[in-house]
Amino acid sequence: MQAMPKWADIVLIPLINLLLAFLISGLVILAIGEDPVEAVSLMIDGALGSSYGWGFTLYYATNFIFTGLAVAVAFHAALFNIGGEGQAALGGLGVALVCLMLPWPHWTIALVAASFGAALFGALWAIVPAYLQAKRGSHIVITTIMFNFIAASLLNYVLVNLLRPAGQMDPASAKFPEPTHLPTISDILNGIGIPFAERTPANVTLIIALLACVAVYFLIWRTRFGYQLRAFGKSEQAAQYAGISSVKIIMITMAISGGLAGLMAINNVMGEAERLVLNSVEGAGFIGIAVALMGRSHPFGVLLASILFGFLYQGGAELALWTSIPRDLVIVIQALVILFTGALDGMVRAPVERMFLSFKKREG
Amino acid sequence: MTDTAPAIELKGISKAFGPVQANKDISIRVMPGTIHGIIGENGAGKSTLMSILYGFYKADKGDVFIAGKKTAIPDSQAAIAAGIGMVFQHFKLVENFTVLENVVLGAEEGMRLSTSLGKARKELTRLAADYELNVDPDARIESIGVGMQQRVEILKALYRKADILILDEPTGVLTPAEADHLFRILEGLKAQGKTIILITHKLREIMEVTDTVSVMRRGEMTATVKTSETSPQELAELMVGRKVLLRVDKVPAQPGKTILDVRNLEVTDDKGVKRLKGVSLNVRAGEILGIAGVAGNGQSELLDVLGGIQTATGEIEVNGQPLDLTGKLSDARSRRERGIAHVPEDRQRSGLIMDFKAWENVAFGYHHDDRFNTGALMDQGAIKEDAAGKFDRFDVRPNNPALEAKSFSGGNQQKIVLAREIERNPDLLLVGQPTRGVDIGAIEFIHQRIVELRDAGKAILLVSVELEEILSLSDRIAVIFDGQIMGERLPHETDEKELGLMMAGMTGASQAPAEEIA
């Protein structure tokens, strides 16, 4: 019983949701006395109109791909990991330790080691709530969100007391040594003769993010573990019947999820800031939830949704720069997008389904 | 209202869900003061029709006439107002409310609850006297048996002044004695002028209590006949559309060595209640041991322990080797490695992942097999090939393993599970409710496959709440009641009546009942 074709489910409905969110955002902009058309053109121009804009949009998108994938992987096992924020923060600590503790001859080797450190720290931070869920039945939504706060405090302590160079006022680590600096997208593109604006933060991590999308696709739909993970996510009872250990699935899934969130630190800590600062994640962990929802927990959907949110971030910054629309408005728009794509999905779905049904009947 | 107006009449009801025509131009007339049966296979459209009548679905076409008057039923409120009461297969009662509170729920009057409760108490007393519907109004639902709970559902409908009572598969959870009692209640209601529509797939019930019967097949009403003028054989043929075998064809068993030996098995659930109280039984190669019992008396726990889903104490040996009942090797995967295959009671929640494609389900539980894997990746080609073969051999329809499991009918879902478990060629096959929600045509096929496996020298433990099935399939029958085996019988030396008494906790007619049942 298919009420509507698959493309409508995957493309049309998110698009309608998005349009509705933008429509209401437009009304909000009108209400604060600004011109929504001008605002939109400013956002598009600022985020997508130049390679400079793209350099920022893609940088943000890279962050969201990692946190979005993290949430998506857990979703497939019916686990709601909302601790991406804390896991990414810990990932940052992992990156900082790797970059500062050892002398690295070349960025490629440093990148591999830092990726490992980031994923390891993120995974460890997710494994504790996973253990509590699997063995003690403590709900993972509660524990992961609490772990965000613990992560923030922990980082505060580590930065102030351990990593801060003597004499520095600012709670941040020392600058990472030169050989650990990652090439930016403009370095790469200009290197092969394609002009791209310099001094933008998008870096080589973007490629790792794209690889992560492919890897997650294979993990979920091609591996034996992915099969068990999806089965567990669909029906715990059936998983038990099939001899799939819930403890194992929860622990490994959360470790992968936390690892993906942690990997984000390569982008923002190693690639952009080149040192560890307080609150380096800047909410990307939470955006990951919206990205996964909007991307239907599919890696390709996550990729598209990440670019959309990257656009919103960068476009919002442009708005704040050129108009009196506060940057916070972007949060309103994001909230509306989440509201429409997540919570109010059924509102759009039902009428669209009916439309397709009546369409089919007229044909048949 | 004239005497000739039908209590309820449907004219030309049609309803489609997308491309599926669930009801096609259905017309029925049910006269007041009669019991009308509606019989049909699963997916024939019985439930859809009743949902339309109760206002859950809106018909695409057609009209409903109540007592000769055209009536629109946009929602269940309207159905209640029109005097229609519904008793669902799965009761809709609040477990920790009393009977009285449940009856009043949704029909409260005024601000103060006590007024409604007082009124309901009086009304319940009257109804109890009129219809032999005795229930303690202050008992909590969780503390009364299913037979009682069903009576509460009927009382709820009557309290809402229902003249037309629809019962959807009402005997599924009852013992034969409870079912008989229910039928007496229905006869009483009929004598008082109520109209009753009984939806069932059990031919025996139709023959026993109905005045007229309508047969549905694939969304269409194929016949409406007077019950006194038809036979079970004829009804079965009308349901399926071809001749069917109601009896299982099988030669006497040739039992070999003991495959399964269970001794003193005990299971305690998370609430600390003992679900199995020292069960001992054995199954030999080449025989089917049937476990008869009313649902909820421990047979599910027995299957779960054997299938590696539940821990237990006691001893189990398979092929002479002990099974791990609590430790690391007590999971379902270890059980499969010991040659135990399991067709679970609830195929939709346990046996299949409904959102998975059918071919993915063919590997379910056996996803570690080398033949389905290349390294850490699943070998989709191999699984699809295996699925295609199973679909052919088990005649699964539609023959398309790329469809999701949920898009198959109950019978075809069961064939997928059976194909998976039987073709593993296990030493011991656990089968729970093999034909629950399965259409008659598929029942025949499923029974034949189980008997074939027996004849191949395998041990089979069969759990079913359908006594007929137990009697026709089993080579030996063990009756379970309240977590204990009440005794064993041979199918040709016993009958439904004796088994029914044992299922209710009585070991002999002379003995007092172990628990009040009526």
Side-chain angles (χ1 to χ4, degrees), chain B residues 99-251:
Chain B
V99 169
L100 200 60
E101 286 166 334
N102 267 289
V103 167
V104 170
L105 187 68
E108 307 90 345
E109 293 158 35
M111 285 287 286
R112 281 162 48 103
L113 194 57
S114 55
T115 4
S116 307
L117 288 177
K119 192 182 146 210
R121 189 181 294 275
K122 257 186 249 154
E123 184 69 11
L124 281 195
T125 322
R126 188 184 70 78
L127 289 171
D130 283 2
Y131 301 111
E132 209 189 326
L133 274 163
N134 299 306
V135 184
D136 173 10
D138 297 311
R140 281 187 197 284
I141 295 298
E142 57 202 356
S143 66
I144 62 178
V146 276
M148 285 287 188
Q149 294 184 4
Q150 190 170 55
R151 262 177 252 171
V152 177
E153 284 284 7
I154 296 174
L155 284 168
K156 262 169 72 180
L158 294 176
Y159 183 71
R160 287 160 178 74
K161 308 251 181 297
D163 284 318
I164 301 160
L165 206 56
I166 304 171
L167 295 107
D168 189 6
E169 301 281 0
T171 59
V173 289
L174 303 182
T175 63
E178 285 174 322
D180 286 342
H181 190 115
L182 171 70
F183 294 150
R184 280 210 303 284
I185 293 171
L186 296 184
E187 295 284 350
L189 287 166
K190 173 179 138 182
Q192 303 275 338
K194 304 278 184 198
T195 308
I196 292 156
I197 298 179
L198 177 68
I199 303 169
T200 181
H201 67 278
K202 292 185 188 169
L203 293 165
R204 202 186 58 134
E205 290 170 7
I206 291 286
M207 298 309 293
E208 230 168 78
V209 289
T210 63
D211 299 303
T212 47
V213 53
S214 298
V215 183
M216 288 189 73
R217 170 155 48 98
R218 287 190 198 150
E220 289 182 77
M221 195 64 85
T222 48
T224 296
V225 289
K226 277 213 166 67
T227 311
S228 54
E229 293 166 6
T230 185
S231 67
Q233 192 63 41
E234 187 194 6
L235 286 178
E237 282 174 33
L238 283 167
M239 275 164 73
V240 184
R242 63 179 167 85
K243 283 221 177 298
V244 286
L245 217 57
L246 288 178
R247 286 253 139 223
V248 181
D249 243 351
K250 62 173 190 175
V251 296

Side-chain angles (χ1 to χ4, degrees), chain A residues 309-321:
Chain A
F309 274 87
F311 154 74
L312 286 177
Y313 248 58
Q314 171 56 14
E318 291 285 318
L319 273 188
L321 198 61

Side-chain angles (χ1 to χ4, degrees), chain A residues 274-299:
Chain A
E274 293 169 350
R275 60 182 189 144
L276 184 61
V277 297
L278 258 190
N279 192 24
S280 61
V281 187
E282 291 183 309
F286 293 114
I287 301 291
I289 299 167
V291 164
L293 272 177
M294 189 153 181
R296 308 265 145 147
S297 300
H298 190 287

Side-chain angles (χ1 to χ4, degrees), chain B residues 474-485:
Chain B
S474 312
D475 300 310
R476 267 189 307 140
I477 299 170
V479 182
I480 195 167
F481 169 75
D482 194 25
Q484 286 167 304
I485 300 290

Side-chain angles (χ1 to χ4, degrees), chain A residues 216-256:
Chain A
V216 165
Y217 174 84
F218 269 87
L219 172 78
I220 301 280
W221 281 285
R222 287 288 187 273
T223 65
R224 184 162 62 254
F225 179 76
Y227 177 89
Q228 298 180 62
L229 179 158
R230 284 184 295 129
F232 176 81
K234 293 289 183 194
S235 168
E236 216 176 313
Q237 194 179 326
Q240 202 188 5
Y241 156 80
I244 296 169
S245 156
S246 62
V247 173
K248 198 172 131 192
I249 297 288
I250 293 173
M251 299 287 284
I252 299 179
T253 303
M254 284 301 287
I256 294 171

